[in-house]
Amino acid sequence: MMHKINIYEDSIQGSKSLANLLVEEINFNINKKGYCTINLPTGNSPINLYKELSDLYDQKIINFKKVVLFNLDELYPITKKNKESYYYYLHHHLLEKTDFDKKNIYLLDGNVKEEKLDSFCNAYEKRIENLGGIDIQILGIGRNGHIGFNEPGSEINSITRKVKISNHSFKIISKTFNSSEETPREAITIGIKTILAASKIFLIAWGEKKSSIIKKAIEQKVNSNCPASYLRKHQNVEYILDVKSSSKLNLNRIRKKS
Ligand code: GLP
């Protein structure tokens, strides 16, 4: 079992380091089988990471031509044009700045018709499976322990599906919309099972506000109340933290970096 906890001075240092780790992981997979599948999150936590990856692309240290992209979650319903959609976010922060091939981009569609949702979600799972699974899964973590939109109570065997957004998450998300009426109440998310099937998982968390949930996720019992704790069932997880988000952890167990 490999669970590494890497603690950096701040999110800038951590994101730089993670970007370099990703270059290695991506190239390793491309050398091995000709392509690499990656599943990416949105939110505030990965913004610096995407900036770093775009910079590494500009410096010709990496290219994304052979990277197949999936994403973790999407609000529902939402149009691609909506600036709060995760589709828009990923295009804005990463895809427009790099050379991902359009035919290798598979993002969850927040605009798919209700009656087609189940078949869309099943096809998403199948596509991942047919490509041999996710090589690299990056995750953020909600302050209530959610990963993707797998909110507290999510089952370990859950797969890609439509879910209700918890009141906790709704309050946070609605701040970015004009009004709560305009804020989607549901989301599409890949499942806990989908996440745990990835070969390698990186979980990012920055800042004091994430310190309590990071302690729960890493040190307390595996429990559906904190879906991120399911990651302890996985063989190969790396936690990318800063001094603040790791401040409540039992420090004896931790290998400090940088
Ligand atoms: C959001 C998303 C997650 C994200 C998490 C943390 O609601 N559902 O995919 O990882 O919350 O967001 P942030 O990085 O902004 O703290």
Side-chain angles (χ1 to χ4, degrees):
M1 161 109 51
M2 197 186 77
H3 276 201
K4 263 198 197 165
I5 300 172
N6 296 340
I7 302 172
Y8 300 91
E9 208 41 52
D10 53 31
S11 74
I12 306 281
Q13 292 308 318
S15 302
K16 269 200 172 67
S17 182
L18 178 54
N20 288 312
L21 288 173
L22 289 180
V23 170
E24 276 175 38
E25 288 280 340
I26 288 171
N27 288 335
F28 171 82
N29 282 290
I30 292 174
N31 289 336
K32 196 170 74 178
K33 57 177 185 175
Y35 64 93
C36 175
T37 52
I38 190 164
N39 188 301
L40 295 178
T42 47
N44 291 317
S45 309
I47 287 182
N48 284 330
L49 171 67
Y50 297 150
K51 188 174 179 317
E52 287 299 330
L53 287 174
S54 307
D55 288 352
L56 292 173
Y57 168 74
D58 286 342
Q59 295 159 30
K60 300 198 174 10
I61 292 169
I62 183 153
N63 73 72
F64 297 91
K65 282 194 187 72
K66 291 179 177 168
V67 180
V68 182
L69 177 68
F70 293 91
N71 73 326
L72 184 60
D73 51 10
E74 177 61 281
L75 301 168
Y76 186 83
I78 199 157
T79 62
K80 292 175 178 169
K81 274 191 291 192
N82 191 317
K83 291 197 171 162
E84 298 308 326
S85 75
Y86 298 171
Y87 178 96
Y88 184 93
Y89 169 114
L90 282 168
H91 279 79
H92 177 72
H93 288 288
L94 186 66
L95 300 178
E96 283 164 7
K97 299 184 168 140
T98 51
D99 66 342
F100 278 87
D101 189 333
K102 270 206 168 70
K103 71 177 188 332
N104 293 334
I105 300 176
Y106 301 108
L107 300 184
L108 291 165
D109 182 357
N111 210 17
V112 73
K113 289 207 176 70
E114 188 83 47
E115 62 269 24
K116 295 207 170 131
L117 246 172
D118 282 351
S119 59
F120 174 82
C121 292
N122 292 337
Y124 206 73
E125 287 282 334
K126 260 267 147 336
R127 196 179 289 282
I128 293 175
E129 216 176 288
N130 291 343
L131 283 160
I134 297 165
D135 297 314
I136 307 169
Q137 174 70 58
I138 319 272
L139 297 171
I141 181 171
R143 273 182 265 164
N144 63 352
H146 70 223
I147 43 178
F149 267 116
N150 295 285
E151 299 276 22
S154 296
E155 305 279 348
I156 193 162
N157 59 1
S158 54
I159 58 172
T160 305
R161 67 206 186 284
K162 186 180 73 160
V163 292
K164 268 213 143 17
I165 295 175
S166 69
N167 290 340
H168 168 102
S169 303
F170 185 80
K171 270 188 208 137
I172 297 174
I173 294 163
S174 61
K175 285 186 191 143
T176 61
F177 283 82
N178 293 327
S179 66
S180 55
E181 286 71 41
E182 281 176 42
T183 313
R185 303 260 167 190
E186 295 179 305
I188 308 173
T189 184
I190 68 166
I192 300 288
K193 187 173 173 192
T194 328
I195 292 170
L196 292 180
S199 304
K200 169 97 203 177
I201 301 176
F202 293 95
L203 181 136
I204 318 171
W206 319 123
E208 176 62 34
K209 283 181 180 158
K210 298 283 171 79
S211 61
S212 300
I213 200 65
I214 281 295
K215 184 173 180 66
K216 266 198 188 162
I218 296 180
E219 291 181 352
Q220 291 176 15
K221 265 218 235 111
V222 176
N223 191 315
S224 70
N225 290 333
C226 175
S229 68
Y230 286 130
L231 298 180
R232 306 225 303 273
K233 301 260 181 207
H234 193 273
Q235 299 298 312
N236 197 351
V237 181
E238 215 158 317
Y239 299 89
I240 308 289
L241 309 177
D242 63 359
V243 172
K244 289 181 177 156
S245 66
S246 62
S247 59
K248 294 201 166 78
L249 290 174
N250 170 5
L251 286 169
N252 300 329
R253 295 176 53 230
I254 294 164
R255 190 164 67 82
K256 282 222 174 198
K257 276 221 162 174
S258 77

